[in-house]
Amino acid sequence: MFKIHFMSIEVINISKSYGDQKALDAVSFSVKKGEIVGFLGPNGAGKSTLMKILTTYITADEGSAAVNGFDVTSNQKSVQLSVGYLPEHNPLYLDLYVREYLAFNADVFKVEKSRINDVIELTGLTSESHKKISQLSKGFRQRVGLANALLHNPDVLILDEPTTGLDPNQLVEIRKLIKQLGKEKTVILSTHIMQEVEAVCDQVVIINKGLIVANDETKNLQAAALQQVTYVVEFDQVIQKQDLLKIEGVIAAQGLADKSWVLQTNTLVDVRKNIFDFAVKNNLVLLSIQKEEEKLEDIFRKLTAN
Ligand code: ADP
Ligand code: MG
């Protein structure tokens, strides 16, 4: 049987060091065509380094990577034609008018002039397109960066922290735009904000200190987070841990104070009834019970804690 399994981005055991600083340590993952993947990690995790490798700006020390099926070392030109790149600090020529800037880059990429109007429309820049870039808000400057990345109509967009520094309204607008662009293209965006991934991405790759610590569909990670429900309980008497572990659904118990415990569960079922029944059966008074749901944000913090 033939299996057609087209990956837009394939990263295999990529390592990269700057001097004796290891920025990426045998990183591997792949992105299916048409997906929006979030590359999530704290500052210094290695996100920009990987993106520069995928856009052929720098080369890896070890491993291989392909974009749109083209190898980033042996087929750089094809990779460059396949990707639109928005670098971390979105370098723009502030003195140029929006149209002038895009026309300049259209020349560089040998793109038809008619494409300039297309990308202006695509990125919602029409009302600002007659202005100088220096006159634009940060949100509209990001749109110019995105318009620029789209000029040669690439299949893959590589966006390095596209929403950093935006105000809350601009943030929502740019996320909306990225989602819209993601309907036509494969998108990899880096961010240090988990909520951004939840709002925009189908898949999330979490990186910490150059190592991949999680890689899953966003909805799977959200489901895993949901299962990490804990209950903080307080009884009127001292209780033994092994007794608490007999409560159905409780998989771990950690003593807080004399008569207070944190109970961890492995089920989406609400175990508060079981805890209450346990108290009644053992002639205990349940003084308080508090449900604490773990959020995806907490998982991210745990995975990148050190
Ligand atoms: P991120 O984008 O996730 O913040 P980077 O890829 O920029 O992370 O950086 C990863 C690590 O590599 C950091 O420790 C950073 O200081 C280091 N680094 C990045 N670029 C250079 C460089 N040109 N020279 C030396 N060290 C670098
Ligand atoms: Mg970076």
Side-chain angles (χ1 to χ4, degrees):
M1 280 293 282
F2 290 104
K3 211 161 126 191
I4 299 169
H5 204 71
F6 186 61
M7 289 296 171
S8 251
I9 299 173
E10 191 102 55
V11 176
I12 303 165
N13 279 322
I14 287 276
S15 293
K16 172 77 184 176
S17 296
Y18 299 103
D20 49 15
Q21 162 113 50
K22 197 149 204 172
L24 294 172
D25 190 356
V27 164
S28 300
F29 67 91
S30 54
V31 182
K32 279 188 238 134
K33 199 169 163 34
E35 297 263 281
I36 303 183
V37 59
F39 201 45
L40 177 68
N43 278 333
K47 304 182 295 296
S48 297
T49 299
L50 183 85
M51 292 185 143
K52 286 177 199 159
I53 291 168
L54 291 177
T55 51
T56 76
Y57 274 74
I58 61 173
T59 52
D61 301 334
E62 281 168 68
S64 62
V67 179
N68 237 2
F70 302 116
D71 187 273
V72 295
T73 34
S74 62
N75 217 338
Q76 297 202 340
K77 192 73 209 164
S78 301
V79 172
Q80 287 157 14
L81 289 171
S82 300
V83 299
Y85 178 38
L86 180 65
E88 191 164 16
H89 300 294
N90 187 13
L92 297 168
Y93 296 100
L94 296 181
D95 282 340
L96 295 188
Y97 290 91
V98 172
R99 256 173 212 288
E100 199 183 1
Y101 175 70
L102 293 172
F104 174 80
N105 283 314
D107 268 354
V108 173
F109 277 108
K110 300 189 172 55
V111 167
E112 279 184 41
K113 287 278 184 286
S114 64
R115 183 70 188 154
I116 296 169
N117 272 334
D118 295 348
V119 297
I120 283 175
E121 208 171 298
L122 260 175
T123 55
L125 269 172
T126 310
S127 65
E128 309 289 300
S129 63
H130 62 287
K131 292 186 184 169
K132 265 193 178 181
I133 293 172
S134 61
Q135 296 170 326
L136 302 182
S137 67
K138 180 99 207 272
F140 278 106
R141 287 184 196 187
Q142 284 304 74
R143 287 174 197 260
V144 176
L146 285 167
N148 184 46
L150 286 163
L151 269 176
H152 57 302
N153 202 9
D155 289 329
V156 179
L157 286 177
I158 297 185
L159 313 176
D160 198 352
E161 304 219 16
T163 64
T164 297
L166 299 183
D167 74 31
N169 292 329
Q170 296 168 340
L171 200 95
V172 169
E173 289 301 311
I174 294 292
R175 282 179 187 167
K176 214 194 285 173
L177 175 57
I178 292 170
K179 264 200 107 133
Q180 189 193 320
L181 296 172
K183 288 184 186 152
E184 309 274 310
K185 305 190 181 293
T186 306
V187 180
I188 175 164
L189 68 90
S190 70
T191 175
H192 55 270
I193 307 161
M194 180 50 106
Q195 287 92 323
E196 181 138 297
V197 170
E198 295 193 82
V200 183
C201 304
D202 309 303
Q203 184 192 343
V204 51
V205 175
I206 304 181
I207 182 169
N208 189 39
K209 294 188 171 166
L211 289 164
I212 304 271
V213 291
N215 176 9
D216 209 337
E217 286 176 48
T218 311
K219 64 176 190 314
N220 288 346
L221 270 189
Q222 281 168 324
L226 264 179
Q227 291 188 23
Q228 307 279 319
V229 177
T230 56
Y231 297 87
V232 180
V233 295
E234 189 186 354
F235 299 100
D236 67 331
Q237 293 167 45
V238 175
I239 306 166
Q240 298 305 310
K241 182 170 176 166
Q242 65 261 32
D243 293 329
L244 289 167
L245 291 175
K246 285 179 196 146
I247 301 172
E248 202 187 326
V250 172
I251 54 163
Q254 191 191 346
L256 275 186
D258 221 12
K259 299 155 192 162
S260 298
W261 293 82
V262 179
L263 305 179
Q264 198 188 323
T265 70
N266 65 347
T267 164
L268 288 175
V269 176
D270 195 328
V271 300
R272 280 177 290 193
K273 183 178 182 307
N274 301 352
I275 296 169
F276 185 76
D277 289 347
F278 165 83
V280 171
K281 215 166 86 189
N282 292 281
N283 288 318
L284 303 166
V285 178
L286 187 58
L287 295 174
S288 73
I289 183 164
Q290 197 184 329
K291 185 178 179 185
E292 301 198 336
E293 275 175 26
E294 182 137 332
K295 292 200 259 327
L296 206 46
E297 178 70 29
D298 301 320
I299 290 198
F300 171 54
R301 257 192 277 118
K302 271 189 208 159
L303 287 171
T304 58
N306 49 55

